[in-house]
Amino acid sequence: MGRAIVHMDLDTFFVSCERLTNSELNGIPLIIGGGDRGVVASCSYEARTFGVRSAMPIKMALRLCPQAKVVKGDMELYSKLSHTVTEVIEEKAPVMEKASIDEFYLDITGMDKFYGSYKWTDELAHSVTRETGLPISFALSINKTVSKIATGEGKPLGNLEIPENKVQSFLNPLSIQKIPMVGQVTFQLLSRIGIRTIQTLSEMPAEVLQQMIGKNGIELWKKANGIDNNPVEPYTERKSISTEHTFTQDTIDIALLKALLIGMVEKLAFQLRSEEWLTSTVVIKIRYANFDTETKQCKIPYTSADHTLTRCVTDLFDKLYHRRMRLRLIGIRFSGLVRGTYQINLFEDTEELLSLYQAMDKMKSRYGFDAVMRCAGASFKPNNKAEILKRKY
């Protein structure tokens, strides 16, 4: 084996966290989510046997599995345990990339010369479970794509090794949906022309794939053939994201100030979702005309949803701005960030709201941030802030 890349994934992470704190949840169908109109954030394997899946509406999940117990998620608990797991892995691994709140890549190339790559990985997995109580699956192979697919095939408590000479025979019979970059749209497109297994996909000319699905066609062909040269990126935790606005003329216009704040929140929240972060601390800063600077902050449940963050920011502003002096600067900072693939707070928001955010983010990504905005913050234009005041005065 040339490269030795490990993918580690905590099994039903949210469910396992809840079971650590309440043993009565062991062995029963369990759904993590919030409210009758919410969606499933995670579910136990017992619930999955009834057809329950993540992102499914809670109502539909309960129709499939009426005996399931629904537990509202606790992102603070999950974040704390994720951090503990990260520390265990980071202490032992030469190179670690944290792909999400419950998913890790390790580059242990060369380990076989000294210890044995599989044995080392297996002992690390046991260390994670011993020190945290959380079950974890892993797979070892030549690159990130093959290792990730293999982890999924081995769950729960999987521990597969796919050497280089067995990569293609392992991939060939699997559905193309197992390839990480194949979404529902691509799957349906390829299925219509009879491409449903990775082997069929790998045997297609790469140029034909490129013509069918665009620039990602070549990359998809490579993955189907077990080719992935992407490196394991060393893990660094981002501490915060922020934005500020300095006025060309000091202002006391409350309507303008709140419109700007709403627009700034929308921009930062979109960045959070795009980069797959959740924030737990909101900080607002104002600077008066005499250069006095004041800040105020609040702690909130982990989220990246505009409507939740906007409510917090406007409340903070109302409490902070009381001197009735002109302002020369306002700013917002989101800190206490944790990684996650959950774009908004799945534990509180409805299926309709989740769909709305996904649609808005898709338009913003394709046509630019200000392609679609909330009316209340529509005056905020990131590339033309000075024009706001020109229109106001």
Side-chain angles (χ1 to χ4, degrees):
M1 184 180 292
R3 296 173 73 203
I5 307 299
V6 177
H7 178 258
M8 307 191 84
D9 196 352
L10 292 158
D11 295 329
T12 56
F13 177 52
F14 292 175
V15 170
S16 298
C17 291
E18 295 292 344
R19 286 174 169 172
L20 277 181
T21 60
N22 184 359
S23 60
E24 293 181 0
L25 301 177
N26 292 338
I28 66 171
L30 186 62
I31 294 172
I32 309 296
D36 290 339
R37 298 181 63 221
V39 294
V40 176
S42 181
C43 59
S44 67
Y45 286 105
E46 293 85 358
R48 293 183 187 187
T49 60
F50 290 87
V52 179
R53 295 290 182 269
S54 296
M56 175 182 289
I58 294 283
K59 285 186 176 180
M60 182 184 296
L62 289 175
R63 283 199 296 269
L64 293 171
C65 185
Q67 69 272 39
K69 182 175 179 60
V70 179
V71 175
K72 184 177 180 180
D74 183 353
M75 278 304 299
E76 189 169 352
L77 170 65
Y78 308 154
S79 175
K80 180 180 178 181
L81 288 170
S82 173
H83 182 69
T84 303
V85 173
T86 303
E87 288 181 334
V88 173
I89 297 175
E90 196 170 27
E91 181 183 358
K92 295 177 171 61
V95 182
M96 182 199 76
E97 175 183 336
K98 188 172 183 178
S100 72
I101 195 171
D102 58 355
E103 185 179 10
F104 307 84
Y105 289 102
L106 317 177
D107 189 337
I108 58 171
T109 302
M111 188 73 72
D112 55 315
K113 296 179 182 178
F114 307 101
Y115 193 72
S117 297
Y118 179 85
K119 181 180 179 183
W120 182 90
T121 307
D122 189 54
E123 290 191 2
L124 175 59
H126 280 92
S127 294
V128 169
T129 302
R130 184 172 58 252
E131 296 188 35
T132 68
L134 296 169
I136 191 167
S137 293
F138 73 84
L140 169 66
S141 193
I142 58 172
N143 59 49
K144 295 168 82 170
T145 295
V146 179
S147 294
K148 182 176 175 66
I149 294 173
T151 303
E153 290 302 290
K155 277 179 167 288
L157 294 174
N159 50 4
L160 299 182
E161 180 178 13
I162 312 297
E164 187 170 9
N165 62 350
K166 295 184 178 178
V167 165
Q168 204 60 50
S169 60
F170 164 73
L171 293 176
N172 280 344
L174 300 178
S175 167
I176 58 174
Q177 287 182 298
K178 300 290 185 177
I179 301 176
M181 67 183 295
V182 175
Q184 193 60 34
V185 173
T186 303
F187 173 70
Q188 291 175 355
L189 174 65
L190 295 174
S191 292
R192 283 198 292 268
I193 59 171
I195 302 174
R196 297 183 178 86
T197 67
I198 292 180
Q199 179 173 2
T200 307
L201 184 62
S202 69
E203 294 171 351
M204 278 192 69
E207 297 77 12
V208 174
L209 269 178
Q210 188 174 25
Q211 292 174 359
M212 287 182 60
I213 61 176
K215 60 182 180 181
N216 289 329
I218 299 294
E219 192 65 25
L220 181 57
W221 180 87
K222 287 181 179 179
K223 291 183 184 298
N225 283 276
I227 302 169
D228 178 7
N229 296 319
N230 290 319
V232 173
E233 301 286 350
Y235 171 68
T236 54
E237 188 68 272
R238 184 166 188 169
K239 300 300 181 183
S240 66
I241 65 170
S242 62
T243 186
E244 293 182 348
H245 176 78
T246 301
F247 297 102
T248 55
Q249 296 178 355
D250 299 343
T251 182
I252 199 172
D253 188 327
I254 299 296
L256 167 67
L257 292 168
K258 289 193 172 182
L260 280 172
L261 287 172
I262 292 169
M264 292 162 79
V265 168
E266 190 170 356
K267 175 192 174 189
L268 290 180
F270 173 60
Q271 185 178 347
L272 285 174
R273 296 190 297 273
S274 298
E275 298 178 12
E276 297 181 346
W277 294 104
L278 299 168
T279 181
S280 62
T281 305
V282 176
V283 183
I284 184 172
K285 177 171 78 171
I286 60 174
R287 181 168 295 150
Y288 291 97
N290 64 356
F291 286 89
D292 285 351
T293 303
E294 297 180 4
T295 63
K296 199 170 188 65
Q297 72 174 44
C298 68
K299 297 281 289 184
I300 59 173
Y302 284 102
T303 187
S304 58
D306 304 5
H307 66 284
T308 303
L309 294 166
T310 297
R311 185 166 57 245
C312 179
V313 165
T314 53
D315 287 347
L316 285 175
F317 178 76
D318 290 338
K319 295 174 182 176
L320 183 62
Y321 183 45
H322 52 77
R323 291 169 60 178
R324 310 308 299 166
M325 289 176 56
R326 290 180 178 270
L327 295 181
R328 62 178 292 109
L329 176 146
I330 55 174
I332 300 171
R333 183 173 77 251
F334 296 151
S335 59
L337 305 184
V338 296
R339 273 291 188 190
T341 56
Y342 310 97
Q343 292 191 327
I344 63 174
N345 191 342
L346 296 180
F347 310 126
E348 294 181 359
D349 296 317
T350 64
E351 178 190 4
E352 294 85 358
L353 195 56
L354 176 59
S355 298
L356 174 63
Y357 273 100
Q358 290 173 337
M360 289 176 64
D361 287 350
K362 186 174 182 180
M363 293 178 67
K364 287 174 182 286
S365 298
R366 184 170 184 179
Y367 300 110
F369 162 74
D370 56 356
V372 55
M373 299 179 67
R374 298 174 185 273
C375 292
S379 60
F380 176 74
K381 300 290 183 181
N383 299 321
N384 197 18
K385 297 174 185 175
E387 289 301 314
I388 299 167
L389 283 177
K390 289 180 182 178
R391 294 197 300 269
K392 280 287 183 180
Y393 288 91

